[in-house]
Amino acid sequence: IGQEAVAAGIESAITSDDAIVTAYRQHGTALGRGIPANECMAELMGKETGIVKGKGGSMHFFDKSRRYFGGNGIVGAQIPIGTGIAFAEKYRGTNNLCVTMFGDGAARQGALHESFNMAMTWKLPVLYICENNGYAMGTSVERTSNVMELYKLGYAYDMPSETVDGMNPESVHEAVSNAAAHIREGKGPYYLEIRTYRYKGHSVS
């Protein structure tokens, strides 16, 4: 709840052949990808008619046919997974990219830095998106990170990085469209910090 503009803006700016991998706050993202609401609800209730036959539950939706690779319950686990999917796309010579979504809490995972370094070194077709609500699961960014402008993490790897107003679907659409064009030109990854709130004294650029 409160991050609907992110999923809407992403889906309107990419293709159905592009892959998506995300974290456990994924219900809206799954619906945006086209997974039927009935199958999503059945999965939440542990029913066999769910998207993964009731075995995944809330955090672990998956639909290979729709290029939707989760839904992951381990904080930050999807970041190297998405990087690997992007590597596979480049290896196969497709024009697809992998949207790899994570929250502000996962931005402190060491796997993020390993993935950023690998993606830039090999110029992988991956769009990293941090859905920043400012408090992760309950602890503010100010208390957990020396770098509060999370888009700046990409600068350490010379990765194109910027902030986006996550309350405006048009802003998300435009930013994702521009990033996708950059990636499809073979220039490597892109990083968007999409904020669904504003820091005191800071504005979304």
Side-chain angles (χ1 to χ4, degrees):
I1 295 173
Q3 295 185 311
E4 295 85 356
V6 181
I10 290 171
E11 282 295 347
S12 64
I14 62 174
T15 75
S16 59
D17 291 326
D18 293 324
I20 292 183
V21 61
T22 186
Y24 45 81
R25 296 182 189 177
Q26 49 129 9
H27 305 152
T29 307
L31 291 170
R33 180 97 289 211
I35 298 176
N38 284 348
E39 294 183 24
C40 292
M41 287 302 297
E43 189 61 38
L44 294 179
M45 301 301 168
K47 294 184 176 183
E48 188 177 5
T49 52
I51 187 61
V52 286
K53 300 185 178 181
K55 298 177 180 179
S58 178
M59 296 184 184
H60 302 107
F61 292 5
F62 184 93
D63 190 341
K64 181 180 177 181
S65 68
R66 292 182 174 87
R67 306 276 290 151
Y68 186 80
F69 297 100
N72 289 272
I74 300 174
V75 176
Q78 70 278 21
I79 302 172
I81 290 172
T83 306
I85 293 170
F87 175 82
E89 296 294 354
K90 182 167 185 175
Y91 184 82
R92 293 169 180 159
T94 75
N95 197 39
N96 303 331
L97 58 89
C98 181
V99 176
T100 302
M101 303 168 68
F102 54 94
D104 47 294
R108 254 73 73 201
Q109 272 281 8
L112 176 140
H113 297 278
E114 296 176 41
S115 297
F116 276 20
N117 184 62
M118 179 181 290
M120 280 301 294
T121 301
W122 292 345
K123 297 296 182 286
L124 300 181
V126 55
L127 171 54
Y128 295 108
I129 291 179
C130 176
E131 291 182 288
N132 185 357
N133 65 8
Y135 58 87
M137 284 294 290
T139 306
S140 68
V141 173
E142 289 90 339
R143 292 180 61 193
T144 59
S145 178
N146 184 59
V147 178
M148 293 194 298
E149 305 281 348
L150 297 182
Y151 72 96
K152 292 181 179 178
L153 296 175
Y155 289 174
Y157 304 94
D158 290 334
M159 187 183 299
S161 308
E162 60 187 87
T163 56
V164 183
D165 181 358
M167 303 306 289
N168 186 319
E170 289 88 355
S171 296
V172 177
H173 171 88
E174 181 177 356
V176 172
S177 293
N178 292 339
H182 172 94
I183 294 167
R184 293 192 210 281
E185 289 172 4
K187 297 178 180 178
Y190 211 100
Y191 173 37
L192 299 175
E193 177 198 350
I194 303 182
R195 297 180 184 171
T196 54
Y197 86 112
R198 287 181 172 84
Y199 293 115
K200 295 179 181 178
H202 299 280
S203 61
V204 175
S205 60

